[in-house]
Amino acid sequence: AAISEAIQTLLGLDLVKALQSDLAIYRSRLLKSANPTAYDQEVAAIEAELTRLNAEKEKLVTDERHHQTVLDGIKNEIAQLQKRLAQKGGNYASQKAANDLRAHELESRHNALVTSIREECESPLPFALCPKLSRRLATELDAESLLRNYRVLDDELSRLQESVLASAGTKLANGTKKELGAFLETEFSRYREGRRPASDITELHSLSERDAALTIDCLTQQAPASARRLHTTLIELEEVTRELRVVKGDSEQAPEQLVLQDTFTELNQRNRDLGRTEEVKRKISEELRQVELAISAKEREREKILSRLDEAKDVAHKTATIQKLNTALSAYMHRLTQAKIAQLQSEVTECYNRLARKSDFVRRVDIDPETFAVAVIDKFGRSVPKEDLSSGEKQIFAISMLWGLARTSGRPLPVVIDTPLGRLDSDHRKNLIRNYFPHAGHQVLLLSTDTEVDVDLFKELSPAVSHCYHLKYDQEEARTTADNEYFWRETVTA
C-alpha cells in the first residue's frame, strides 16, 4: 500500500484519478441542476447504500490485512520450527519441508484455478450453455445485416438511376431517353434481384453493424472458447486437488523420533493455526468480493439513472463529453502506468546493482502495474523472497526503491537519511558513500554517528559536503547545541 501510494504520487498518476473524481462531481452537479427532484429521490438511496457498502468494504480490507499479518507471523514460526528440526538431524524434517513446499505450490495453483473459473463464469460462457439458440441468434443478426445493406444498395441505385436520367434529359431525344430509362430499369432490377435477401427476413434487433458484429463474435467465438478453457481448467483443478490431498496426508503423519516429539507437536499446532487462520482470511476475502460486486452493481444502477437523466435534459452533450473524457483518461492512466512502471523497474534495478556488494545478484526488479507488488529476480531468473535478503540487503533494496522513485519522478526532491550505515558491511558502506550520497538529490541531509561515517569515509565524502554540524548535548543546561564541525574535524567555514 505504501509503495502504491508513493508510486502514484511521485509519478503523477494520482493527478489522473483526481481529475476523474472532479469530473464525476461536476457531472453530478449538472444532473442535479437538470432535475433535482428526480436526483434526490432516485440517487440519494443508492448513494446511501454505496456509503454503507464502502464502509463495510474498508472494514473487511482492514480485517483481511490483519489476518494476512497473522498468517505471515505463523508462517515465520513454522519456518523456524522446521529449521530447528533440520538442525537436530530429523529425517522427517526434510521430508516434511519438501511436502510443505509442494503443498504450498499446489494451494497457490488451486487458488489460481478457482479464480480462473470465476473469471470464466463472468465471461460469455453462459451462451455456450445454449448453443442452438446462440447459433440461431447469430444467423438472424447476420441476415438482418444483409437486409440493411440491401436497403442501402437499393436507395443508392434508385438515386443513381434518377440522376442519370436527369442528366440525359437535356442531351437525348425523347425516344432515346425512354430506351435508356427502360434499359436502366431492366439492368438495375436484375442487379437488385441478384442481391436481394430472403423475403422472410425481419429486422427485430435493430443493432448497429458494430454491435451486431461484436454480438456474433461473442456467440460464435468467445463463448465456445470460454467453454473449452473452463473444461481444461476443471480437469487440472481435479488433478491438483487430488495431489494436494495426498501431500497433506503425508505431511500430517506423526514423526518416529521421540527426541523431536515436542518440536513436531508444536509444528503441528502451528500448522493447524495456519489452516484456521487461512480459512478465516478466505471467508473475509469472499465477503470482500461479494461487497465489491454489490458496490459495482449499485454503481451500475446509479449510472443507468444518471444516463436516463442525461437523455431527458439539455445537459446530455456535456455529460457525454465527460464520459468520453473518463474513457480516454482510463486508457491514458493504463498506458502511463505501464510506461512509468517500466522506467521505475529499470531505475530501481540500476540503483540496486550500483549500491549492492553483489553487483550481478539482481537481474531485474519487477513491479506489478495493477497491484504494485515488488518482486526481486536474481541472475538465474528466479524470484527471491524479500525475507531471504540479509538485513543489509534489505536496507540497500529500500534505498534503491526510494532512489529509483526520485529519479523516475524527475522532481527535485530533498533527501533526509538517518543513521544509514549501521547495519551495513564495509563494501556496502563504500558503495553508498561513492555512488549514492553525492547523487541522492539536490539537497541531502545526512544524520550519522562517528562510528558510521568514520575518518576514511568522511575524507572520501568531503568533496560533496557543503556544511557540517555537530549536535552536542549539555547535561548541565539540558539542551543541545549545533557546532559547525564534525566530531574530530575542526571548526569549518559554513
Side-chain angles (χ1 to χ4, degrees):
I3 291 177
S4 171
E5 183 177 355
I7 291 175
Q8 294 188 57
T9 301
L10 285 177
L11 303 188
L13 303 178
D14 59 328
L15 297 178
V16 180
K17 290 186 175 180
L19 178 55
Q20 289 178 319
S21 177
D22 291 342
L23 286 173
I25 294 172
Y26 176 63
R27 182 168 179 258
S28 296
R29 289 175 178 173
L30 286 175
L31 294 174
K32 284 183 178 180
S33 63
N35 195 344
T37 303
Y39 183 88
D40 289 339
Q41 292 177 350
E42 296 185 77
V43 180
I46 295 178
E47 291 192 336
E49 180 65 11
L50 280 173
T51 301
R52 185 190 68 79
L53 289 172
N54 281 313
E56 184 177 353
K57 176 183 176 181
E58 291 180 2
K59 180 180 181 301
L60 289 172
V61 168
T62 301
D63 291 343
E64 186 181 50
R65 290 175 178 172
H66 168 71
H67 283 84
Q68 183 60 52
T69 302
V70 174
L71 279 174
D72 292 340
I74 294 175
K75 290 178 180 178
N76 183 60
E77 293 180 11
I78 290 175
Q80 295 298 325
L81 290 170
Q82 291 175 341
K83 183 177 180 180
R84 191 189 309 169
L85 285 175
Q87 291 173 346
K88 291 181 179 179
N91 295 328
Y92 178 77
S94 60
Q95 179 183 356
K96 178 168 178 54
N99 284 339
D100 288 346
L101 178 61
R102 181 57 180 164
H104 179 72
E105 294 173 352
L106 291 171
E107 287 174 347
S108 298
R109 183 56 185 161
H110 180 277
N111 293 336
L113 291 171
V114 171
T115 300
S116 178
I117 291 173
R118 288 174 176 168
E119 291 174 351
E120 288 295 345
C121 291
E122 296 173 358
S123 71
L125 174 66
F127 290 110
L129 302 178
C130 49
K132 293 183 179 180
L133 186 60
S134 297
R135 287 194 296 270
R136 178 181 172 186
L137 177 57
T139 302
E140 290 178 357
L141 291 176
D142 191 48
E144 290 178 10
S145 179
L146 292 176
L147 179 60
R148 286 192 297 272
N149 292 337
Y150 175 77
R151 289 173 178 171
V152 174
L153 174 64
D154 184 56
D155 292 340
E156 289 295 327
L157 288 177
S158 297
R159 285 193 292 270
L160 176 61
Q161 184 176 351
E162 293 174 359
S163 176
V164 171
L165 291 176
S167 299
T170 59
K171 299 178 181 179
L172 299 177
N174 289 335
T176 305
K177 180 179 178 181
K178 290 180 179 180
E179 292 179 359
L180 176 61
F183 174 77
L184 291 177
E185 180 66 28
T186 301
E187 291 302 319
F188 282 7
S189 296
R190 183 184 300 113
Y191 188 81
R192 287 187 181 94
E193 288 301 321
R195 287 156 179 78
R196 186 186 301 276
S199 59
D200 58 346
I201 298 176
T202 303
E203 189 170 0
L204 300 175
H205 303 91
S206 300
L207 296 180
S208 65
E209 289 295 325
R210 178 178 178 276
D211 290 342
L214 291 175
T215 304
I216 292 173
D217 179 71
C218 179
L219 295 171
T220 61
Q221 301 296 329
Q222 297 182 30
S226 179
R228 291 191 294 271
R229 290 193 300 269
L230 179 63
H231 181 264
T232 302
T233 304
L234 288 173
I235 293 176
E236 185 179 355
L237 179 63
E238 183 179 357
E239 294 174 354
V240 169
T241 302
R242 186 184 305 111
E243 184 179 354
L244 180 61
R245 189 182 302 115
V246 173
V247 171
K248 283 189 174 182
D250 292 341
S251 297
E252 292 173 357
Q253 294 178 0
E256 297 179 359
Q257 297 92 330
L258 295 178
V259 68
L260 303 177
Q261 187 62 48
D262 292 340
T263 304
F264 274 117
T265 300
E266 185 177 357
L267 181 61
N268 288 335
Q269 179 60 45
R270 299 311 291 157
N271 277 316
R272 286 192 291 271
D273 294 342
L274 178 64
R276 285 192 293 268
T277 307
E278 285 178 336
E279 178 62 20
V280 172
K281 182 177 177 294
R282 185 194 66 78
K283 291 181 178 179
I284 293 174
S285 299
E286 181 61 26
E287 291 178 9
L288 178 60
R289 178 175 176 273
Q290 294 300 325
V291 170
E292 289 174 340
L293 290 175
I295 290 174
S296 298
K298 284 295 178 182
E299 288 176 342
R300 288 193 299 270
E301 184 179 352
R302 180 179 60 183
E303 286 302 313
K304 290 180 180 178
I305 296 174
L306 297 178
S307 297
R308 291 199 302 269
L309 294 175
D310 284 347
E311 296 171 357
K313 298 297 176 181
D314 59 354
V315 298
H317 176 71
K318 292 182 180 179
T319 54
T321 302
I322 291 174
Q323 185 64 33
K324 292 179 181 178
L325 283 173
N326 278 325
T327 302
L329 285 173
S330 297
Y332 173 76
M333 179 70 172
H334 176 74
R335 291 195 296 268
L336 180 62
T337 301
Q338 296 284 347
K340 289 292 188 179
I341 289 299
Q343 181 183 356
L344 178 60
Q345 291 176 164
S346 176
E347 293 287 356
V348 174
T349 302
E350 179 184 350
C351 292
Y352 184 89
N353 288 326
R354 286 180 62 181
L355 299 180
R357 183 181 67 239
K358 306 172 185 177
S359 60
D360 62 340
F361 175 70
V362 174
R363 175 185 294 178
R364 68 180 187 275
V365 175
D366 287 345
I367 302 175
D368 190 311
E370 298 295 334
T371 64
F372 298 98
V374 180
V376 178
I377 308 301
D378 65 14
K379 61 182 179 181
F380 302 105
R382 299 172 302 191
S383 178
V384 180
K386 289 187 286 296
E387 55 269 22
D388 287 353
L389 300 176
S390 66
S391 59
E393 290 172 335
K394 290 178 181 177
Q395 182 171 342
I396 293 297
F397 179 81
I399 292 174
S400 302
M401 178 62 69
L402 295 175
W403 195 10
L405 279 169
R407 291 174 59 173
T408 305
S409 70
R411 302 181 184 180
L413 301 174
V415 180
V416 180
I417 309 170
D418 185 16
T419 57
L421 307 177
R423 293 181 293 179
L424 301 178
D425 56 27
S426 59
D427 290 336
H428 281 140
R429 291 187 176 194
K430 290 179 180 178
N431 283 342
L432 288 179
I433 291 292
R434 295 170 182 172
N435 299 326
Y436 179 59
F437 295 152
H439 312 290
H442 73 292
Q443 183 182 35
V444 181
L445 303 180
L446 183 62
L447 309 176
S448 72
T449 65
D450 59 341
T451 59
E452 289 184 275
V453 181
D454 55 21
V455 176
D456 293 334
L457 293 180
F458 182 83
K459 184 183 299 182
E460 189 165 354
L461 187 61
S462 292
V465 175
S466 172
H467 295 75
C468 292
Y469 298 97
H470 186 187
L471 303 180
K472 296 181 179 180
Y473 179 73
D474 191 327
Q475 294 184 354
E476 294 181 359
E477 298 183 3
R479 66 187 184 94
T480 299
T481 58
D483 294 335
N484 195 14
E485 61 181 25
Y486 183 79
F487 295 107
W488 58 86
R489 187 186 185 195
E490 296 179 357
T491 301
V492 297
T493 303

